[in-house]
């Protein structure tokens, strides 16, 4: 900004009639300030102060050269921007002092060179103080707004981080539960638990010390290791009951130490007074007890790392969750071993365990809550009970039945259960409610009771037989509670990712004259995480339109966030004017810099709305489908490159095709044409048939192809569809356009196409486009219409070209010395110009006879 002023001030001084020496002398201070502000030897604060004073000096020079006509308002705003950007009060204070001293002192000495109004000349120091206070107030508002915004963003980031942590915990516990639930050998269970827990907590090594009972009924301790060889610990024996180990073996709360060597309990016990010689180094320490249902301690999970502060609260919560999984797995394994050794109950125990495994598979087969619970109910009834009911607590506290399976003979018992208070009591107390005929087990999550699992005995069962299933029902309820929490957490995570996905997609398609657009995005089925499918339509300079369709590899929040990065970067590169191949190459470098596992397919093209020529580059994306009037739909093939993010040395070629008026180009993602059971070629054939038989309206066409592509089945992947149609132009052209300057370029493109269609020559096109551009600009800028309003353009050719531009506002009078030449320009390029102003708006009518009309007139 300072260098621009350094060039502008001498020119301005010469234009005002000053000598060259005077002009150079006036401007000398500005480049000096620019050089000083940009010096690397100065700090940011000093550079900012010098830049600020240089800007205000530039303003003071302009005020002097203009004789007080120009004031310093523009530079005030630049100063406020600098203060807000750098969050530094020193340039702000320097600006206040400069403005106050300059306005007051110079205003008192030569008021005509500072103030161009009487009030300023009569009270220069008062007006200097007003200007200084103006800077102060505006800077305070900007800084307060910036800091409030930062606080809100911080809260949002904290909420997102908490959700990611909850997602990580739920996913880890689900994976561990799925692995250990099918294990029925105690040693393999504890080894699996130890390995998984050591891996997810990031520990250097971990151990699981647990109690077993031999055939004589004597209890002794065993242990498993992960992350270190058994030889590294075998010579040290079992851990002694020290102050650090005792809380874990007694079943107290988890112990997490930032640095175990700094703990006051460390090193108090002989003979080692700390870790034995040769023991692997331990600084970070985490221990979690593994407790049985009856409160007894089954053992403990212990983790260590040679560096301090490695275990976080999230690691502790994951370890606690794995300990719960370990409890279920160990007790199931012990139950299996006990039942296997008992000849009397072997058949029943085998059936229960088999059913438990099946229940585990059912509970891990989906992430849709109603599907999980109904599958569980159908599995339990009538194998174990005459009826199986699952009731869950909704967010508003109400109780909702999500699954109910019963044989005909127990319906009266189910009705009696519904009339009783057993389900509500189990939810309030968190304890099972048991009668001779009914067992109601609470589904207890990590923090609260989620609902109940109710079993009603078979008609021929005795109460004693029903009691045998209580232990099984409690184990089943634990697994069901984990499945419920996982399903709800997945639903919340999917909702967040879907909301993020929708927020990053365009809220509405842009209104582009001569071009029809429609789009549709459909997320995958209930068990499918949101993917990274996206689309965009970008208005470019010169009446060109950018068309983009992409698919980011991956799912969930990460894919949605990466999709936003790719889409925003693509839009930025496109607006810069880069060609399709350059846009794709820039995105390829961006993804490679972001990480080796980031990859996406993408189609990007630039459409010239005037000529219908589409220049495009395809990076591994399915080919677009072009439907032209009276022709068979065809896929737009060309040289296809690798997906972006796949290879640093990838090169991308540009292809060209031409869209005739009335033709439709359909872009889509692979979720529409490819599934696990349907090859891509078959899906592409179905898409061609759907477009051939589909409706002409773009919105209806998008809905039709998605409906035909997916049918009644839930989508296995996200689907995005974008339809673009080059609208045909008739003899009568009518456009309803938003009152936005961005519409002027595409308006010129469609008018150029229409005029060429009607036989206008290049010079006639240029002059009519200039006249229409001025009239449309007036309708946008001077009509005084509210935001979101529109104006109408109609063009006909009947003996001569007549163009009408109608707005709904009342034109403001031009400011003195600003504008006011548009009407003259319009009149110079047309044969007739009429302007009609009414209360409902203004209509500008332009008429001009084309050369081709004159030829027709004199033809024999």
């Amino acid at each position: 900004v300072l260098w621009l002023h350094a060039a502008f001030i001498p020119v301005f001084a010469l234009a005002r009639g000053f000598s060259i020496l005077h002009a150079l002398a006036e401007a000398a201070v500005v480049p000096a300030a620019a050089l000083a502000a940009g010096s690397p030897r100065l700090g940011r604060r000093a550079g900012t102060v010098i830049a600020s004073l240089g800007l205000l000096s530039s303003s003071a020079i302009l005020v002097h050269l203009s004789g007080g006509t120009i004031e310093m308002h523009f530079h005030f705003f630049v100063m406020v921007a600098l203060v807000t950007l750098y969050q530094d009060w020193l340039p702000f204070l320097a600006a206040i002092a400069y403005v106050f001293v300059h306005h007051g002192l110079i205003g008192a000495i030569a008021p005509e060179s500072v103030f161009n109004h009487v009030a300023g000349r009569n009270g220069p120091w008062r007006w200097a103080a007003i200007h200084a206070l103006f800077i102060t107030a505006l800077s305070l508002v900007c800084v307060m707004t910036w800091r409030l915004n930062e606080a809100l963003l911080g809260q949002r980031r904290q909420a997102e981080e908490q959700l990611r942590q909850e997602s990580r915990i739920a996913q880890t516990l689900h994976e561990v539960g799925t692995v250990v639930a099918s294990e029925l050998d105690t040693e393999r269970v504890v080894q699996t638990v130890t390995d998984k827990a050591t891996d997810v907590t990031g520990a250097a090594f971990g151990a699981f010390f647990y109690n077993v009972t031999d055939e004589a009924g004597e209890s002794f301790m065993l242990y498993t290791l992960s992350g270190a060889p058994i030889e590294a610990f075998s010579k040290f024996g079992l851990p002694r009951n020290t102050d650090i180990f005792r809380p874990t073996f007694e079943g107290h709360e988890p112990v997490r130490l930032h640095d175990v060597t700094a703990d006051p309990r460390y090193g108090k016990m002989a003979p080692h007074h700390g870790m034995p010689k040769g023991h692997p180094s331990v600084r970070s320490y985490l221990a979690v007890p593994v407790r049985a249902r009856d409160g007894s301690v089954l053992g403990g999970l212990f983790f260590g790392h040679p560096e301090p502060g490695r275990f976080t609260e999230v690691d502790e919560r994951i370890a606690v969750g794995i300990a719960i999984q370990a409890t279920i797995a160990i007790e199931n394994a012990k139950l299996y071993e006990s039942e296997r050794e008992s000849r009397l109950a072997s058949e029943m125990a085998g059936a229960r365990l088999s059913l438990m495994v099946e229940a585990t598979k059912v509970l891990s087969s989906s992430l849709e809550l109603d599907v999980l619970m109904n599958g569980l109910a159908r599995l339990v009834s009538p194998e174990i009970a005459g009826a199986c009911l699952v009731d869950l607590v909704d967010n508003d506290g109400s109780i909702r039945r999500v699954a109910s399976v019963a044989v005909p003979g127990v319906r009266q018992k189910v009705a009696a259960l519904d009339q009783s208070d057993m389900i509500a009591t189990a939810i309030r107390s968190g304890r099972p409610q048991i009668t001779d005929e009914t067992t109601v087990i609470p589904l207890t999550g990590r923090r609260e009771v989620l609902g109940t699992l109710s079993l009603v005995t078979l008609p021929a069962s005795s109460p004693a037989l029903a009691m045998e299933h209580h232990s099984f029902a409690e184990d089943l309820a634990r697994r069901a509670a984990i499945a419920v929490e996982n399903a709800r957490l997945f639903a919340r995570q999917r909702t967040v990712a879907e909301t993020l996905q929708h927020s990053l997609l365009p809220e509405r398609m842009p209104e582009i004259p001569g071009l029809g657009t429609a789009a549709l995005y459909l997320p995958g089925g209930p068990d499918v995480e949101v993917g990274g499918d996206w689309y965009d339509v970008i208005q470019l300079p010169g009446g060109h339109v950018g068309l983009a369709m992409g698919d980011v590899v991956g799912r969930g929040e990460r894919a949605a966030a990466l999709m936003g990065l790719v889409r925003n970067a693509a839009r930025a590169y496109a607006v810069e004017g880069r060609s399709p191949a350059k846009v794709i190459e820039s995105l390829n470098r961006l993804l490679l810099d972001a990480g080796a596992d980031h990859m996406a397919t993408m189609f990007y093209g630039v459409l010239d709305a005037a000529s219908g020529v589409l220049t495009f580059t395809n990076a591994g994306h399915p080919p677009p489908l072009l439907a032209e009037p009276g022709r068979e739909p065809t896929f737009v093939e060309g040289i296809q490159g690798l997906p972006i993010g796949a290879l640093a040395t990838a090169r991308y070629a540009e292809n060209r095709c031409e869209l005739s008026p009335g033709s439709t180009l359909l872009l889509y993602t692979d979720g529409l044409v490819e599934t696990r059971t349907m090859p891509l070629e078959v899906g592409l054939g179905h898409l061609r048939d759907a477009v051939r038989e589909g409706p002409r309206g773009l919105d209806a066409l998008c809905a039709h192809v998605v409906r035909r592509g997916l049918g009644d089945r839930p989508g296995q992947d996200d689907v995005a569809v974008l339809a673009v149609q080059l609208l045909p132009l008739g003899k009568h052209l009518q456009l309803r356009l938003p009152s936005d300057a961005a519409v002027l370029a595409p308006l010129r493109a469609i008018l150029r196409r229409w005029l060429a269609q009607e036989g206008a020559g290049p010079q006639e096109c240029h002059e009519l486009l200039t006249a229409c551009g001025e009239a449309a600009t007036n309708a946008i800028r001077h009509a005084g219409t509210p935001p979101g309003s529109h104006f109408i353009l109609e063009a006909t050719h009947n003996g001569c070209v007549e163009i009408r531009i109608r707005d709904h506002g009342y034109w403001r009078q031009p400011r003195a010395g600003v504008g006011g030449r548009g009407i003259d320009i319009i009149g110079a390029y047309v044969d007739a110009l009429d302007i009609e102003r009414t209360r409902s708006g203004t209509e500008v009518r332009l008429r001009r006879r084309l050369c081709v009309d004159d030829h027709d007139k004199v033809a024999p």
Side-chain angles (χ1 to χ4, degrees), residues 52 56 73 75-97 99 130-148:
S52 305
L56 295 172
H73 295 146
H75 300 85
F76 294 168
F77 285 105
V78 174
M79 256 317 305
V80 171
L82 285 172
V83 173
T84 305
L85 176 64
Y86 290 104
Q87 292 294 295
D88 200 328
W89 293 102
L90 187 59
F92 156 72
L93 296 175
I96 294 175
V99 171
I130 291 174
H131 280 76
L133 289 175
F134 172 76
I135 300 178
T136 304
L138 194 55
S139 297
L140 287 173
V141 170
C142 292
V143 172
M144 290 173 63
T145 303
W146 183 86
R147 292 186 175 175
L148 287 173

Side-chain angles (χ1 to χ4, degrees), residues 800-838:
C800 69
V801 172
E802 180 173 328
I803 301 175
R804 299 187 177 194
I805 299 175
R806 184 169 63 255
D807 59 63
H808 302 286
Y810 187 80
W811 287 15
R812 298 184 296 267
Q813 293 296 327
R815 291 174 294 173
V818 179
R821 296 185 297 273
I823 302 300
D824 297 334
I825 295 174
I826 297 173
Y829 288 138
V830 298
D831 298 332
L833 168 63
D834 296 319
I835 300 176
E836 181 179 356
R837 294 183 173 91
T838 65

Side-chain angles (χ1 to χ4, degrees), residues 358-382:
E358 289 300 319
T360 301
K361 293 180 180 179
V362 169
L363 293 174
S364 60
S365 63
S366 175
L367 286 170
E368 189 174 4
L369 195 55
D370 290 354
V371 173
L372 287 175
M373 296 300 104
N374 278 283
L376 177 64
R378 287 191 297 268
L379 183 66
V380 172
S381 177

Side-chain angles (χ1 to χ4, degrees), residues 21-35:
L21 292 178
H22 191 124
L24 294 177
E26 290 282 0
V29 69
V30 181
L35 289 172

Side-chain angles (χ1 to χ4, degrees), residues 257-258 260 282-286 303-305 307-311:
L257 300 178
H258 180 84
V260 68
V282 177
R283 299 288 295 281
S284 296
Y285 174 84
L286 175 62
F303 309 96
H305 198 282
E307 297 177 5
R310 294 300 296 263
F311 300 130

Side-chain angles (χ1 to χ4, degrees), residues 208-251:
F208 190 171
F209 292 88
Y210 62 102
N211 295 318
V212 296
T213 304
D214 61 9
E215 297 177 354
E218 296 180 358
S219 178
F220 58 99
M221 182 175 286
L222 297 177
Y223 69 93
T224 59
L225 285 175
S226 181
I230 194 71
E231 295 78 14
F233 290 87
S234 57
K235 61 182 178 180
F236 303 122
L238 297 174
R240 305 174 67 230
N241 197 21
T242 64
D243 291 341
I244 292 181
F245 282 114
R246 186 182 300 114
T248 303
F249 289 123
E250 291 179 354

Side-chain angles (χ1 to χ4, degrees), residues 171-182 325 329 360 479 482:
Q171 183 177 1
T172 301
L173 295 182
H174 176 71
E175 292 174 356
V176 174
T178 302
V179 171
V180 304
S182 59
Q325 300 275 15
T360 301
R479 283 170 168 75
I482 294 172

